[in-house]
Amino acid sequence: MQNYILEMKNIHKIYSVNNVTALKNATLKLEKGKVHALVGENGAGKTTLMKILYGIEKMDSGEIMLRGKDVKIDNAKTAFELGIGMVHQHFKLIDDFNIAENISLGIEKKNKYGMIEFKKIQNEISDLSCKSGLDLDPCTKVGDLSIGEKQKVEILRTLYRGAEIIILDEPTSVLTEQEIQRLFNTIKMLKNQGKTIIFISHKLEEVKKISDQITVLRNGETVFTGDTARTNIEEISRLMVGENITFEKLKCTDKKGENIFSIDELYVKDMEDQYFKVKGISLNIKAGEIVGLAGVDGNGQKELIRAITGLSKIEKGSVFLNKKNISDYSTRMRREAGMSYIPKDRVMEGSSPESNILENEISTKYFKDDVSKNGWINREKSLDLTKFLIKEYDIKTPGINIMVGMLSGGNIQKVVISRELSSEPELLIACEPTWGLDIRSQKFVYDQLEKIRNEGKSIFLISGNLDEIMYLSDRILVIFDGEIVKNFDNHDDLTKMEIGKYMMGLHIEEKPEKECDNRCTESTD
Ligand SMILES: Nc1ncnc2c1ncn2[C@@H]1O[C@H](COP(=O)(O)OP(=O)(O)OP(=O)(O)O)[C@@H](O)[C@H]1O
Ligand SMILES: [Mg+2]
């Protein structure tokens, strides 16, 4: 008989707030030292199953056996004591604390006088960081980190607390190609150290590449478990959604119209207002054109988008929409001028998790005739619109009055996308539009973007996923160190390698590898 490090058997879970059956008879069996992928459509129950394992959701019935023994996991503290750690789909870090403070929060080591031993903690974290290939400086403030780096902090936190089983809930959905490669190296290193990894992803190529075993959940039920090497992507996809979905690169159109959107010599500073992150960017997007922006995270994309959408100050330069200079417009005025925006962070920026679906859907159009009159919201029209969008975008929810924060990650993203596309924008700024979406929903979003492009709308697509950029864009711009360093027509011979060269700045010079030495130079003892 096979010896499993962990067995979850016949797990049932109904969320009583909305009466949703999230899991029925779900089963998961893990072998020690293996990477086990957990896949399934948006809302299939993956996160719920992991939250139960991590002790932050209660199951209604079922059994968990760890190293052959029955265990009861009522909270995250117990989970940690049992050697289970989780990196959540939406990170749980405090931006104002540094890395060491975030990692040691709640388990700070104290000396005999009861004082926290910061220096010791920092050095331990620094050593662990090097050993696990995560390469982080424990003194850096978390608010200054990119999403990829924040994820590393989360992984390091589980390791620091002694995790033997590490749950990674959609770890790659927010990462760039380069960061994904680094994460995979880390996963391999952890596996070699005997750790067991649960890897959740919607990207089946990744699952195939990194996992040893795979479990497929469908509507809360386990429908398949087996060795990854013995299956193929088509089979997994069929098991997940009941059909085989494939993508073909969008055909470029030559029906492009006039310039709809232009940026002229734009300069924007970083969030602390200290130095320039956008250094004289100019670009144009025509009607009926999708322009993709490729770049390694942290090269000015965030600041550029914030300035375009009116969330950050422009130091110098101008932004034009439909020939109007909108540089001084508020965010609402920009919306009224025809701009829509799908932000990268669907929870912090893209939605109001504590408001219901209807409130979220109308939050960008409550002032328009579609849903209001003379300053009063028309309840009936708002309801009709929300019902239509839930159906059209296949948002899985038991009702309209459900708080958006209670939806699964992918379904929150669908609320954001449906809200932005239904505003019928002239220009859509789309940051990571398929972040966390399953293949069927991803295909749906691609079809929608193609449709609005063919109707003559302009799309500025910012994505860390080069496949997505290459699949959708008519033209690809590469941003490096705050400047647009290359403009590619997206012809069939263009390769990822070619784009990657500009993304990494290798067109300028080869940079030497940094040595791994993260010890703090200053003590905060
Ligand atoms: N806190 C909650 N309260 C109520 N219902 C919830 C809650 N969290 C999840 N659900 C519901 O349970 C079902 C399973 O959600 P879960 O988040 O586990 O799915 P998932 O497989 O992780 O999906 P995704 O790929 O979109 O992240 C969904 O229908 C979701 O709406
Ligand atoms: Mg999830």
Side-chain angles (χ1 to χ4, degrees), residues 421-470:
L421 291 185
S422 60
S423 299
E424 298 185 354
E426 289 295 314
L427 168 75
L428 172 71
I429 314 278
C431 298
E432 313 292 345
T434 58
W435 202 73
L437 293 188
D438 61 42
I439 355 181
R440 199 206 311 255
S441 312
Q442 198 178 336
K443 177 91 169 73
F444 178 80
V445 170
Y446 287 176
D447 290 346
Q448 295 300 308
L449 295 183
E450 180 179 12
K451 183 166 154 263
I452 67 168
R453 179 200 69 174
N454 293 349
E455 287 166 5
K457 313 296 183 198
S458 312
I459 300 175
F460 192 25
L461 170 73
I462 301 92
S463 174
N465 178 347
L466 258 190
D467 288 322
E468 181 157 286
I469 295 245
M470 294 181 78

Side-chain angles (χ1 to χ4, degrees), residues 62-106:
E63 212 185 326
I64 304 180
M65 293 182 79
L66 192 66
R67 299 176 191 94
K69 285 202 187 98
D70 257 329
V71 287
K72 204 163 172 317
I73 310 174
D74 283 336
N75 51 50
K77 188 167 172 281
T78 312
F80 262 123
E81 283 162 6
L82 292 169
I84 300 165
M86 177 161 181
V87 175
H88 294 268
Q89 205 167 351
H90 305 120
F91 305 150
K92 299 189 183 310
L93 297 168
I94 301 171
D95 276 357
D96 283 336
F97 285 11
N98 71 25
I99 293 179
E101 288 162 340
N102 264 287
I103 289 179
S104 62
L105 194 65

Side-chain angles (χ1 to χ4, degrees), residues 162-222:
E164 286 299 318
I165 297 174
I166 302 168
I167 306 162
L168 301 175
D169 195 354
E170 294 196 34
T172 60
S173 52
V174 285
L175 301 185
T176 58
E177 296 274 329
Q178 290 77 10
E179 285 173 324
I180 291 173
Q181 207 37 60
R182 271 179 243 140
L183 173 73
F184 281 8
N185 292 340
T186 304
I187 292 178
K188 283 181 200 149
M189 204 179 287
L190 294 175
K191 189 174 127 168
N192 289 339
Q193 290 166 10
K195 310 278 184 201
T196 308
I197 314 279
I198 303 176
F199 178 83
I200 300 181
S201 175
H202 288 292
K203 300 181 195 160
L204 298 183
E205 285 86 10
E206 283 178 0
V207 165
K208 193 84 184 116
K209 212 174 186 181
I210 195 75
S211 70
D212 304 299
Q213 279 145 1
I214 180 165
T215 288
V216 181
L217 278 183
R218 188 164 172 190
N219 295 327
E221 257 177 294
T222 300

